[in-house]
Amino acid sequence: MTKKEAILKAAQEAFGQLGFTAATVKDVAGRADVSFGLVSHYFGSKQDLFLAAGFDMADRLICSLAEATAESPDGLTSIRQYMSAYFAFTDEQRDRFPILLRCSPFSHMEPGIDAVKVAEKFSAFIDELKRCVSQGIEDGSIRTLPVEETALIIYGNIVGSVRTSLLTPYKSEGIFSETINHVIRSLKNGPDQDGC
Amino acid sequence: MTKKEAILKAAQEAFGQLGFTAATVKDVAGRADVSFGLVSHYFGSKQDLFLAAGFDMADRLICSLAEATAESPDGLTSIRQYMSAYFAFTDEQRDRFPILLRCSPFSHMEPGIDAVKVAEKFSAFIDELKRCVSQGIEDGSIRTLPVEETALIIYGNIVGSVRTSLLTPYKSEGIFSETINHVIRSLKNGPDQDGC
Amino acid sequence: MTKKEAILKAAQEAFGQLGFTAATVKDVAGRADVSFGLVSHYFGSKQDLFLAAGFDMADRLICSLAEATAESPDGLTSIRQYMSAYFAFTDEQRDRFPILLRCSPFSHMEPGIDAVKVAEKFSAFIDELKRCVSQGIEDGSIRTLPVEETALIIYGNIVGSVRTSLLTPYKSEGIFSETINHVIRSLKNGPDQDGC
Amino acid sequence: MTKKEAILKAAQEAFGQLGFTAATVKDVAGRADVSFGLVSHYFGSKQDLFLAAGFDMADRLICSLAEATAESPDGLTSIRQYMSAYFAFTDEQRDRFPILLRCSPFSHMEPGIDAVKVAEKFSAFIDELKRCVSQGIEDGSIRTLPVEETALIIYGNIVGSVRTSLLTPYKSEGIFSETINHVIRSLKNGPDQDGC
DNA sequence: TATGAATGAGCGTTCATTCAT
DNA sequence: TATGAATGAACGCTCATTCAT
């Protein structure tokens, strides 16, 4: 691992744990075991480093999600696989995932960070979900629902459970799989409450 | 409004917008139109002020939720009313609600804040939800589900939509009511997919 | 002397000796025997302090020159008194005068300093000289010369000798009075070289 | 032009515009289009580079002045030719001349620069002027004046006008030729104010 | 010759906090 | 109650310098 890569990983850790403002460049340098001057040398300002750290994580997750939903029989299964892949990724990256909770339009952008760039990057997550929902409604696996809101609600559901799992002391073993069930139950087309 | 109250409101605004670290005591004093010395005089340290601001908001929301769920015919209706009251509160307090997103165990605690106190305070929100879910399972309005996980998932659902509405540029008019529908569909006991 | 005044005097000393870039805020605070935080408290940024220090010195010199030329029998005498007052002022303020050599449009403006403000302030020095030269040409005590250029040349003459006296190791006792003679000889109206 | 020469020219530009402290080695390297490591390789420390840049300019000006005064009929004419050559040189080198205003005993030496070396180098300019004044007094073209002071005053006159022309916004077309006239009028031996 | 990775001293500035008034 | 003068730790950042390649 090059020193540049070490700095990026350390930044993901530090920003994830402490947030943009509270994390310090010296702290990042210390975690990466390099001098703090090298951080500026490679990444410029603290803001630039924050975005680099967040976008690196986002890009890898986007990749992982795209793979997961690539070959699905139907939209509802795509949603299930999207969520499974999302939760699997957070579990694998427990130490450094929180940077994505920070560098996200669903969090308060800390002062000095370019919120527009972040929102653009994250629209990929929502767009992918919208694609799955649309597909599901078309193929009949998902009931008729407003696509935009539903995608946002599902994403909120995912992030809510990730936050519960990574941040709170209310942790619960089965929360990820229960969240998938919760969403699937809500979306699934089928004999309705007023039905039979 | 006394100066002490003005400081508390100003703190909710400032911490909500900027976060604990980035907001400054001078900024709070400026918003309240008092000298910065008075802030220490009434609230002690910055940390104490942060907790005071967050807990004031939390207490008022807890009150509002307790009222809303007080006289419900069944557990599912309680959930619906809990969510309605929650969303109504966030709409009423748009300017100062974000302090609750910051001063919450579902967010990263900023360094120096006593996370245990915050978690204790917030368990009231989860406990109230657990009570509703249990009641609903007992009275048959909610399908049989693990109480702990379900309460956490619902709370995550609520906060996810609040975040989407208050923080992101992906705002969508009907997201609050759709979120309620989403949850109710998922919880409602009734003829199942494998049913009929 | 208040601490604010002490900081201003210390800034004049430090900036005068070391220049804007090389002088440090900590150094100024040390000379004034106050904490460095107090410098920002009273004067804001280093740039603001530099201008405050330079303009204070300039204002006092402008006052002194205006007094000196107030009641002159003729323009040439005004010039002589302007120069005498200028040199007297530099002698009195030897320790702190160099700030005026730094905070002057006749010096390189250091990066970050608002050159326009400085040039506006200093036009008072040139305008006063132009007034004297014009008066002298009118009353016949000064030969016919281009007013603008002559004023600038005299000012250059003055500053040249001040620099020689304050900065170089070529110091010479009589340089100030000889400079006055030099200028008066050059301006004086009278039997000319082509005359008799 | 070799890279070494390019660095020297770039240093004259950068130090002239920004001063020793504010100019950076990286900036010099950028202007010369070489890597910053090469600057140290050829010139050692920043101080050494500053002196090299200033002395190169000084040596070329000294050469030019010596040529100009070489074959003069009398001392007063030598002075005129010295000044003409000086002003011509500054016009030719407008972009890089300011290094000489910085690297000069008539300016504040920036901390770290060896003021003694600079003063020694510059005594050549004063000595040449003293030679001309002495010669003029001997041959009768210049009135009887203290040689040391007069040379310093003339040099101050020259530099004052160069500063006015290169640095201030008070620029005036004819200032150089008027400065020569000013000096010649003041030095010229002839029918005096005390009469024919 | 020529490059730039790597270091760390030192800069201007911000800001929570204390305390005399 | 209410103010703001005063302090100094800690921040992000710049930059001269060294050195392996």
Side-chain angles (χ1 to χ4, degrees):
Chain A
M1 186 168 55
T2 66
K3 294 203 172 184
K4 190 173 177 181
E5 289 164 348
I7 292 171
L8 200 68
K9 283 188 197 304
Q12 290 169 337
E13 247 187 60
F15 286 135
Q17 285 170 21
L18 303 169
F20 174 76
T21 307
T24 71
V25 174
K26 276 202 163 71
D27 182 19
V28 171
R31 289 169 194 247
D33 206 35
V34 303
S35 73
F36 64 85
L38 202 61
V39 177
S40 309
H41 182 70
Y42 279 124
F43 292 95
S45 72
K46 192 188 181 189
Q47 274 102 337
D48 293 339
L49 176 59
F50 183 76
L51 287 185
F55 285 8
D56 169 75
M57 187 63 69
D59 287 336
R60 289 192 288 120
L61 176 51
I62 287 167
C63 250
S64 177
L65 296 176
E67 269 182 38
T69 61
E71 297 178 23
S72 275
D74 58 71
L76 193 65
T77 307
S78 287
I79 296 286
R80 185 190 295 277
Q81 286 170 339
Y82 180 106
M83 293 180 73
S84 293
Y86 204 110
F87 291 139
F89 188 89
T90 68
D91 270 337
E92 281 162 25
Q93 309 275 334
R94 273 196 107 72
D95 289 342
R96 287 150 52 205
F97 188 86
I99 177 69
L100 252 198
L101 296 180
R102 306 276 201 174
C103 180
S104 146
F106 293 87
S107 288
H108 303 260
M109 279 296 90
E110 303 212 35
I113 301 300
D114 187 339
V116 174
K117 278 189 191 166
V118 175
E120 277 168 11
K121 173 64 69 176
F122 269 72
S123 58
F125 292 113
I126 307 302
D127 289 344
E128 178 71 13
L129 266 181
K130 286 201 281 197
R131 216 185 44 71
C132 298
V133 173
S134 294
Q135 180 196 337
I137 293 173
E138 252 170 65
D139 66 30
S141 61
I142 294 180
R143 71 176 69 205
T144 307
L145 289 169
V147 174
E148 177 84 23
E149 278 89 348
T150 302
L152 288 171
I153 288 167
I154 297 171
Y155 198 80
N157 235 179
I158 295 171
V159 175
S161 292
V162 169
R163 284 178 173 272
T164 304
S165 172
L166 294 187
L167 306 179
T168 75
Y170 313 137
K171 292 176 187 71
S172 157
E173 276 301 304
I175 194 166
F176 285 161
S177 59
E178 279 303 322
T179 303
I180 296 176
N181 294 339
H182 172 78
V183 167
I184 297 298
R185 278 200 311 272
S186 183
L187 299 190
K188 183 167 193 171
N189 206 354
D192 224 336
Q193 55 269 27
D194 43 17
C196 286
Chain B
M1 188 167 56
T2 67
K3 291 200 174 185
K4 190 173 177 182
E5 289 165 349
I7 292 170
L8 198 70
K9 283 188 195 304
Q12 290 169 338
E13 248 188 61
F15 285 133
Q17 284 171 23
L18 304 169
F20 175 74
T21 307
T24 71
V25 173
K26 272 207 165 65
D27 185 17
V28 171
R31 288 169 194 247
D33 207 34
V34 302
S35 74
F36 64 86
L38 203 60
V39 177
S40 310
H41 181 69
Y42 278 125
F43 291 95
S45 75
K46 193 187 181 188
Q47 275 98 338
D48 294 340
L49 176 60
F50 183 77
L51 287 185
F55 285 9
D56 169 76
M57 187 64 67
D59 287 336
R60 289 192 288 122
L61 177 52
I62 288 168
C63 250
S64 175
L65 296 175
E67 267 181 39
T69 60
E71 297 179 22
S72 276
D74 58 69
L76 193 65
T77 307
S78 287
I79 298 286
R80 185 191 294 277
Q81 285 170 338
Y82 181 106
M83 294 181 72
S84 292
Y86 203 110
F87 290 140
F89 189 87
T90 69
D91 271 336
E92 280 162 26
Q93 310 275 334
R94 274 195 107 73
D95 289 341
R96 288 148 52 204
F97 188 85
I99 178 70
L100 253 197
L101 296 180
R102 307 274 201 175
C103 180
S104 146
F106 293 87
S107 287
H108 304 259
M109 278 299 90
E110 302 212 35
I113 302 298
D114 186 338
V116 174
K117 279 189 191 168
V118 174
E120 278 168 11
K121 171 66 70 177
F122 269 71
S123 59
F125 293 112
I126 307 301
D127 289 345
E128 178 72 12
L129 266 180
K130 286 200 280 198
R131 213 184 46 70
C132 298
V133 172
S134 295
Q135 180 195 339
I137 293 173
E138 254 171 61
D139 67 29
S141 60
I142 295 179
R143 71 175 69 206
T144 307
L145 290 168
V147 174
E148 177 85 20
E149 279 88 348
T150 302
L152 288 171
I153 288 167
I154 297 171
Y155 198 80
N157 232 181
I158 294 171
V159 175
S161 291
V162 169
R163 285 178 173 273
T164 304
S165 173
L166 293 188
L167 305 179
T168 75
Y170 313 137
K171 292 178 188 72
S172 156
E173 276 301 304
I175 194 166
F176 285 162
S177 60
E178 280 302 323
T179 302
I180 296 177
N181 294 338
H182 173 78
V183 168
I184 297 298
R185 277 199 311 271
S186 183
L187 299 189
K188 185 169 190 170
N189 204 356
D192 223 339
Q193 56 268 31
D194 42 19
C196 285
Chain C
M1 186 166 55
T2 66
K3 291 202 174 185
K4 192 173 177 183
E5 289 164 349
I7 292 170
L8 199 68
K9 284 188 196 303
Q12 290 169 336
E13 245 187 64
F15 285 134
Q17 284 170 22
L18 303 169
F20 175 76
T21 306
T24 71
V25 173
K26 277 202 164 70
D27 183 18
V28 171
R31 289 169 194 246
D33 205 34
V34 301
S35 74
F36 63 85
L38 202 60
V39 177
S40 308
H41 182 70
Y42 279 123
F43 291 96
S45 72
K46 192 187 182 188
Q47 274 102 338
D48 293 339
L49 176 59
F50 183 76
L51 288 185
F55 286 8
D56 169 75
M57 187 63 69
D59 286 335
R60 288 193 287 121
L61 177 52
I62 287 168
C63 251
S64 176
L65 295 176
E67 268 180 38
T69 60
E71 297 178 22
S72 275
D74 60 70
L76 192 66
T77 306
S78 288
I79 298 285
R80 183 190 295 276
Q81 285 170 338
Y82 182 106
M83 294 181 72
S84 291
Y86 203 110
F87 290 139
F89 188 89
T90 68
D91 270 335
E92 280 162 28
Q93 310 275 336
R94 273 194 107 73
D95 289 342
R96 288 149 54 205
F97 188 85
I99 177 69
L100 253 198
L101 296 179
R102 305 277 200 174
C103 181
S104 146
F106 293 87
S107 287
H108 303 259
M109 278 298 89
E110 302 212 35
I113 301 300
D114 187 339
V116 173
K117 279 189 191 166
V118 174
E120 277 169 9
K121 172 66 70 177
F122 269 72
S123 59
F125 293 114
I126 307 301
D127 289 344
E128 178 72 14
L129 266 181
K130 286 201 281 198
R131 214 184 47 68
C132 297
V133 172
S134 294
Q135 180 194 338
I137 293 174
E138 251 171 66
D139 68 29
S141 60
I142 295 179
R143 70 175 71 205
T144 306
L145 289 168
V147 174
E148 179 85 21
E149 279 87 349
T150 303
L152 288 170
I153 288 167
I154 296 171
Y155 198 79
N157 232 181
I158 294 171
V159 175
S161 292
V162 169
R163 285 179 172 273
T164 304
S165 172
L166 294 187
L167 306 178
T168 75
Y170 313 137
K171 292 179 189 68
S172 154
E173 278 300 306
I175 195 167
F176 285 162
S177 60
E178 278 303 322
T179 303
I180 296 176
N181 293 340
H182 174 78
V183 168
I184 297 297
R185 277 199 311 269
S186 182
L187 298 190
K188 183 168 190 170
N189 205 355
D192 223 338
Q193 56 268 28
D194 42 19
C196 285
Chain D
M1 188 168 53
T2 68
K3 292 200 173 185
K4 190 172 178 183
E5 288 164 347
I7 292 171
L8 200 68
K9 283 188 197 303
Q12 289 169 338
E13 247 187 62
F15 286 133
Q17 284 170 23
L18 304 169
F20 174 75
T21 307
T24 69
V25 174
K26 272 205 164 68
D27 183 17
V28 171
R31 289 170 194 248
D33 207 35
V34 302
S35 74
F36 64 85
L38 203 59
V39 177
S40 309
H41 181 69
Y42 278 125
F43 292 95
S45 73
K46 194 187 180 187
Q47 275 98 339
D48 294 339
L49 176 60
F50 183 76
L51 287 185
F55 285 9
D56 169 75
M57 186 64 67
D59 287 336
R60 289 193 287 122
L61 176 52
I62 288 167
C63 250
S64 177
L65 295 175
E67 269 181 37
T69 61
E71 298 179 21
S72 275
D74 59 70
L76 193 64
T77 306
S78 287
I79 297 286
R80 185 191 295 277
Q81 283 169 339
Y82 181 105
M83 293 181 73
S84 291
Y86 203 109
F87 291 140
F89 188 87
T90 69
D91 270 336
E92 278 162 29
Q93 309 275 334
R94 273 195 108 72
D95 289 342
R96 287 149 53 205
F97 188 86
I99 177 70
L100 252 198
L101 296 180
R102 306 274 201 177
C103 180
S104 145
F106 293 88
S107 288
H108 305 260
M109 276 298 90
E110 302 212 35
I113 302 299
D114 186 340
V116 174
K117 279 189 190 165
V118 174
E120 277 168 10
K121 173 64 70 176
F122 268 72
S123 59
F125 292 112
I126 307 301
D127 290 345
E128 178 70 14
L129 266 181
K130 285 201 281 197
R131 214 185 43 70
C132 297
V133 172
S134 296
Q135 180 195 338
I137 292 172
E138 253 171 62
D139 67 29
S141 60
I142 295 179
R143 70 176 69 205
T144 306
L145 290 168
V147 174
E148 177 85 20
E149 278 90 348
T150 302
L152 289 170
I153 288 167
I154 296 171
Y155 197 79
N157 233 179
I158 294 171
V159 175
S161 291
V162 169
R163 285 178 173 271
T164 304
S165 173
L166 292 187
L167 305 178
T168 76
Y170 313 137
K171 290 175 189 74
S172 156
E173 277 300 306
I175 195 167
F176 285 162
S177 58
E178 280 302 323
T179 303
I180 296 176
N181 293 339
H182 173 78
V183 168
I184 297 298
R185 274 200 312 271
S186 183
L187 299 191
K188 183 167 191 168
N189 205 355
D192 224 337
Q193 57 265 29
D194 42 20
C196 287

